[in-house]
Amino acid sequence: MAGGKIKKEKARKGSGGGSNPHFQGGIPFHKSKGQHILKNPLLIDSIIQKSGIKPTDVILEIGPGTGNLTKKLLEAGKSVVAVELDPRMVLELQRRFQGTPFSSRLKVIQGDVLKCDLPYFDICVANIPYQISSPLTFKLLSHRPLFRCAVIMFQREFAMRLVAQPGDTLYCRLSVNTQLLARVSHLLKVGRNNFRPPPKVDSSVVRIEPRKPLPPVNFKEWDGLVRICFNRKNKTLGSIFRQKTVLSLLEKNYKTLQALQLSHDGSLDDTEMALAVSALGNSLEDLSMDVDDGKDDEEMEVDDGNAKGSEFKEKVLNVLKQGDFEEKRSSKLTQTDFMFLLSLFNKAGIHFS
C-alpha cells in the first residue's frame, strides 16, 4: 500500500462506501494509513521481474493490503512474510489465500513494522505507506543478517533524494547516509493512476542493495559531521564551521575527550552498529529536509575570532585548509570527500559524537 495525501472525494451514489468510495473485497481504504492499493497487473509483473526473486527466497512484504502483490511474490519465491498494521487487511489476506497452495507459505504479522522485530528474509519487495519511508529504510539497513536487496515503492520525490548525486538539487543528508550504507538505483517511475484510490503524487520504484562489508566508519561520528555540513548545504564549509554553535559543540567534545583521555577508536559491536545505522534515519522523515535555497534569509551566527575559543577555531579551520575544504560546499561533496574530511578532523582530535 502506497502512501501520500489524496484529495477528498465525494461518494458515488449507490457505492455504499459513505465518504470513501474506494473498496476491494468489500473493504474501504483509509487514506490516513496510506492505503493506496496497486491495481495495475502489468506494473506488478514488472516489479516482480525487476526484483530478481529466486525460487529459494524468503520475501518480506510491508503493507500487503489485499494481496495483489503478495500473490505474485508467492508465485516467485519460497515464502512470504507480510507485515500489516490494519487487522481488516490481515483478515482479507488470510481469507484470500485460505485453502490455496500458497496458504502454508504465507506468514502474516499484524503490527507496526517500525516497532516489531523482523524475521530473517532474503529480499524485501513492498509498496509501503509513504509516511514511514525514511525510518523504514534505515530500519531495513540496520537489520541483521543483511538481506540481498530491497525493491520498494516510494513517493517520487523521496526516491529521487535517495538516488541523488553530488551537485543535484535534491542531494541531501538522506542521499549521503543511504548511499553510505547501500547501492541505490532507480528502477521505474509509477504514475498515480496505477493505484486505487490514486494518491496525490507520483511514485518511483527503487532498488537498495546493502553494502557488504559496511564501510569502515564510525556511524555516530559520520552522522554528526553530515548533520553539520547539511545544515546549510550551499554554504561553504568555512562559513559553516565558523558558526558559534558549531564551534561550541566541537570544542565541548574536544575538551571532554581530552579530560577522559579516551582513544576514541570508534569500534562498535554488532548491536551498537545496528543502533547507529538505524539512528542515521532520525529526523529525516520530512521531505523538506536539508533544502537550502541559497538565500541568506537567516543570518548565521559566526564567531568573531575574539572569543576565548579562537585558538580552537583556528584548529578547526586548519583541518579544512589541510584538506582544501574551506571553500567547498556540502552539496558538491562525495562519499569519499566526507570520509576524508571526517578522518582529518579525527586525526586532529576533533570528534562529532
Side-chain angles (χ1 to χ4, degrees), residues 106-165:
L106 173 64
K107 178 182 179 181
V108 182
I109 299 174
Q110 183 181 332
D112 185 339
V113 68
L114 297 180
K115 297 177 181 178
C116 67
D117 292 329
L118 298 177
Y120 171 87
F121 62 95
D122 298 295
I123 181 172
C124 174
V125 183
N127 171 29
I128 67 169
Y130 291 162
Q131 59 266 31
I132 67 170
S133 294
S134 179
L136 176 62
T137 298
F138 287 91
K139 173 162 185 169
L140 290 176
L141 288 173
S142 68
H143 182 73
R144 297 296 181 271
L146 286 172
F147 52 95
R148 188 170 75 251
C149 77
V151 176
I152 302 178
M153 182 94 69
F154 291 112
Q155 180 176 333
R156 181 161 175 78
E157 185 179 352
F158 184 90
M160 292 295 90
R161 290 180 185 276
L162 286 179
V163 301
Q165 297 298 307

Side-chain angles (χ1 to χ4, degrees), residues 43 94 202 284:
L43 179 59
Q94 293 170 340
D202 288 332
L284 289 175

Side-chain angles (χ1 to χ4, degrees), residues 75-125:
E75 291 173 354
K78 177 183 177 182
S79 62
V80 172
V81 177
V83 183
E84 174 58 62
L85 180 63
D86 191 337
R88 303 170 309 143
M89 298 297 179
V90 171
L91 290 173
E92 173 62 18
L93 274 175
Q94 293 170 340
R95 182 201 64 79
R96 180 169 184 173
F97 296 106
Q98 186 176 15
T100 72
F102 298 133
S103 178
S104 62
R105 297 198 281 116
L106 173 64
K107 178 182 179 181
V108 182
I109 299 174
Q110 183 181 332
D112 185 339
V113 68
L114 297 180
K115 297 177 181 178
C116 67
D117 292 329
L118 298 177
Y120 171 87
F121 62 95
D122 298 295
I123 181 172
C124 174
V125 183

Side-chain angles (χ1 to χ4, degrees), residues 12 50 95 122 146 168 180 191 225 307 311 315 333 353:
R12 295 188 295 269
K50 290 179 179 294
R95 182 201 64 79
D122 298 295
L146 286 172
D168 292 349
L180 173 74
L225 170 66
E311 184 178 333
K315 186 178 185 69
L333 296 185
S353 66

Side-chain angles (χ1 to χ4, degrees), residues 135-275:
L136 176 62
T137 298
F138 287 91
K139 173 162 185 169
L140 290 176
L141 288 173
S142 68
H143 182 73
R144 297 296 181 271
L146 286 172
F147 52 95
R148 188 170 75 251
C149 77
V151 176
I152 302 178
M153 182 94 69
F154 291 112
Q155 180 176 333
R156 181 161 175 78
E157 185 179 352
F158 184 90
M160 292 295 90
R161 290 180 185 276
L162 286 179
V163 301
Q165 297 298 307
D168 292 349
T169 302
L170 293 178
Y171 188 62
C172 61
R173 188 161 62 93
L174 173 67
S175 318
V176 173
N177 283 346
T178 307
Q179 292 170 31
L180 173 74
L181 303 170
R183 295 177 180 84
V184 190
S185 55
H186 182 269
L187 296 182
L188 67 152
K189 180 179 179 181
V190 180
R192 62 198 75 180
N193 291 328
N194 288 286
F195 301 95
R196 184 192 307 115
K200 193 177 180 180
V201 296
D202 288 332
S203 305
S204 279
V205 178
V206 170
R207 182 183 182 90
I208 301 172
E209 298 179 62
R211 296 187 186 278
K212 301 175 185 177
L214 288 174
V217 62
N218 182 312
F219 296 113
K220 292 180 180 179
E221 287 278 299
W222 171 275
D223 192 43
L225 170 66
V226 172
R227 280 175 185 269
I228 290 173
C229 291
F230 277 94
N231 183 43
R232 301 285 288 182
K233 71 175 186 178
N234 288 319
K235 295 290 184 183
T236 64
L237 293 181
S239 63
I240 289 174
F241 281 92
R242 282 184 173 89
Q243 293 177 84
K244 288 182 180 179
T245 52
V246 173
L247 288 170
S248 176
L249 171 67
L250 295 182
E251 187 170 19
K252 182 179 178 180
N253 288 348
Y254 180 74
K255 289 180 177 179
T256 300
L257 288 169
Q258 277 198 323
L260 295 175
Q261 296 182 337
L262 295 180
S263 63
H264 205 86
D265 64 4
S267 59
L268 301 173
D269 62 28
D270 288 344
T271 301
E272 290 174 326
M273 180 171 290
L275 289 172

Side-chain angles (χ1 to χ4, degrees), residues 53-69:
I53 299 171
K54 300 177 182 178
T56 55
D57 279 343
V58 175
I59 307 164
L60 174 68
E61 185 184 10
I62 299 156
T66 55
N68 291 346
L69 178 59

